[in-house]
Amino acid sequence: MFMKRIISLLPAATEIICALGLEENLVGRSHECDFPASIQYLPICSDAKFTSTGSSKEIDQQVKEILSDSLSIYKIDKALIQELKPDIIITQAQCDVCAVSLKDVEEALADFIGHQTQIISLEPKVLNDVFDDIRKIAAATDTMAVAETLIEDLEERKDIVKHKLKFFNDKPKVACIEWLEPVMVSGNWIPELVEIAGGKSLLAQNGQHSPFVSWEEIAEANPDIIIIMPCGFSISRTMQEINVLLSQPQWSNLQAVKNNKIYVADGNHYFNRSGPRLVDSIEILAEIITPKYFNFGYEGNAWLKFDVA
C-alpha cells in the first residue's frame, strides 16, 4: 500500500497521527510538536518569530506587535517542505497565535510546482470537533476503522466520568486561567470539559475563543476553584510566574484562595491541545474538581495543588 508522506504543523495533529498508527508516515513536524517523544528526531519545518523564553507579558506584547503589522507570528521553512515532498500537510485555522495557520501553509506552497499536496486544516471549537478532526485525518489516510475504535475508547472514558457524576448537583464554580499577564480564561472546549468533570465554568463560553478578562471580573465571579493552565506552559514554567497572580490586589479575597483550592496544570501537554489527550484533561479536571469520586493518578505529573499558605 502507498505510504502517504505527512508533515504535521500542529502538535495536536501529530498526536492524532500517531494515535492512528501513522507515525512512520510522518516526515516533518512543527517546532512545537513534542509528543510522543519518538517524533522529536523529525525535521522541523516551522519556527516562531517571538521569544518564548520571555515572561507572559513580554510574549503577549511581541505577538501583538507582530500581528498589528498583519504578519504571521510563525516562519515556515519552504525549502525544507519542498524537499520533503509531503502528500499531506496538516495545519489549523483555529488560532493565529497557537500554531502555524492555513494561510501560512497556502502561501508557503504557492510556488510548490510538481507535487500534489493535500492541505488538511483543523478548526476545532468543542470536543466533538476534535473527534471529527480524527475522522478527517483518518479519511485522508485510509485509517477510518482505527479512528472509530480510537474515538469509541475516548467516548467511553468521557462517559465514565459523566455517568459517575450524573447525580452530582453541587457544582463548584471553576475559573481556568489560560494566560497570566494579561489574564485570559480558557474558552473553546475547556468549559465543556469542566462541566463534564463536575464543575461550573466561569467567564468563558463553550466553543468561543478564550477571552481576556479583568481581575475585577474574576473577583465578581468569585470562583470556588482556580486552575492555572497557561497555553504552551509546563507546570514548572507556570511556577516561574505564579507571583503575577499572587500580587493582584483581589487575589487574597477570592473564595478559591480562602479555601486553598488553587491548582496548576500542564497546559502545554493537555488542555491546550485539541487531540486525543483532551480526554486525559477531563480525567485531570475530575481529580481536581471532584476528588472524592476520581483518582486517575495524574497528580504530581499533570497537575499539582498550589498551597496558598
Side-chain angles (χ1 to χ4, degrees):
M1 188 177 72
F2 172 65
M3 259 184 68
K4 293 184 178 179
R5 297 167 62 82
I6 304 172
I7 290 176
S8 172
L9 298 176
L10 182 67
T14 299
E15 297 190 23
I16 292 171
I17 290 161
C18 293
L20 292 174
L22 297 168
E23 184 173 342
E24 289 186 359
N25 294 62
L26 279 169
V27 296
R29 65 177 176 94
S30 81
H31 60 292
E32 295 174 312
C33 296
D34 57 5
F35 186 89
S38 52
I39 59 92
Q40 294 189 46
Y41 72 91
L42 290 169
I44 298 172
C45 301
S46 65
D47 198 6
K49 293 180 182 177
F50 60 89
T51 306
S52 60
T53 55
S55 68
S56 55
K57 183 177 182 179
E58 290 167 344
I59 292 171
D60 178 73
Q61 289 172 341
Q62 289 181 68
V63 167
K64 285 177 177 174
E65 285 173 10
I66 295 169
L67 291 176
S68 70
D69 292 330
S70 300
L71 299 173
S72 169
I73 63 173
Y74 294 99
K75 297 177 285 187
I76 294 180
D77 192 332
K78 298 180 185 180
L80 177 57
I81 289 177
Q82 294 191 13
E83 181 185 325
L84 292 171
K85 293 183 170 57
D87 299 297
I88 297 172
I89 296 179
I90 306 178
T91 184
Q92 57 90 41
Q94 203 264 345
C95 175
D96 287 338
V97 176
C98 297
V100 175
S101 70
L102 173 61
K103 181 183 176 184
D104 297 333
V105 176
E106 289 176 335
E107 290 177 356
L109 294 183
D111 55 356
F112 191 8
I113 300 171
H115 192 84
Q116 290 293 107
T117 301
Q118 179 184 2
I119 301 174
I120 299 175
S121 181
L122 309 181
E123 194 175 1
K125 295 181 173 65
V126 296
L127 187 58
N128 276 338
D129 292 343
V130 176
F131 298 154
D132 287 342
D133 285 343
I134 294 172
R135 293 186 178 99
K136 184 186 292 187
I137 293 172
T141 55
D142 301 317
T143 54
M144 191 58 77
V146 179
E148 292 302 339
T149 300
L150 171 62
I151 292 166
E152 185 179 337
D153 175 65
L154 296 173
E155 292 266 24
E156 185 178 339
R157 289 169 58 196
K158 177 195 74 174
D159 288 343
I160 286 171
V161 175
K162 286 184 73 171
H163 292 161
K164 202 163 187 179
L165 296 174
K166 190 174 182 180
F167 300 107
F168 180 74
N169 297 316
D170 188 21
K171 294 181 179 290
K173 297 183 296 181
V174 181
C176 297
I177 307 295
E178 190 166 302
W179 198 247
L180 300 174
E181 192 176 19
V183 66
M184 172 190 280
V185 293
S186 304
N188 300 303
W189 45 82
I190 294 296
E192 178 183 3
L193 305 194
V194 168
E195 298 283 339
I196 292 170
K200 179 182 178 182
S201 180
L202 296 178
L203 300 168
Q205 298 299 314
N206 194 54
Q208 301 295 316
H209 285 300
S210 302
F212 288 106
V213 297
S214 68
W215 275 98
E216 287 72 23
E217 289 175 291
I218 293 175
E220 185 176 347
N222 201 17
D224 301 305
I225 296 171
I226 294 176
I227 307 172
I228 307 161
M229 49 173 76
C231 186
F233 280 22
S234 64
I235 291 174
S236 59
R237 179 70 176 80
T238 298
M239 293 300 289
Q240 292 175 19
E241 287 191 62
I242 197 76
N243 283 335
V244 169
L245 306 183
L246 306 185
S247 62
Q248 296 298 325
Q250 300 91 341
W251 179 257
S252 59
N253 292 323
L254 297 174
Q255 193 63 43
V257 176
K258 292 179 180 178
N259 292 344
N260 196 24
K261 290 193 174 182
I262 308 296
Y263 304 88
V264 180
D266 187 338
N268 179 46
H269 272 283
Y270 295 97
F271 304 91
N272 310 148
R273 294 193 185 185
S274 52
R277 288 195 294 169
L278 280 187
V279 174
D280 294 32
S281 301
I282 292 172
E283 294 170 347
I284 292 165
L285 288 169
E287 286 186 336
I288 292 171
I289 298 169
T290 49
K292 291 180 181 178
Y293 294 84
F294 301 102
N295 180 8
F296 294 103
Y298 292 101
E299 184 177 5
N301 180 35
W303 68 273
L304 55 80
K305 185 173 182 180
F306 179 77
D307 192 351
V308 298

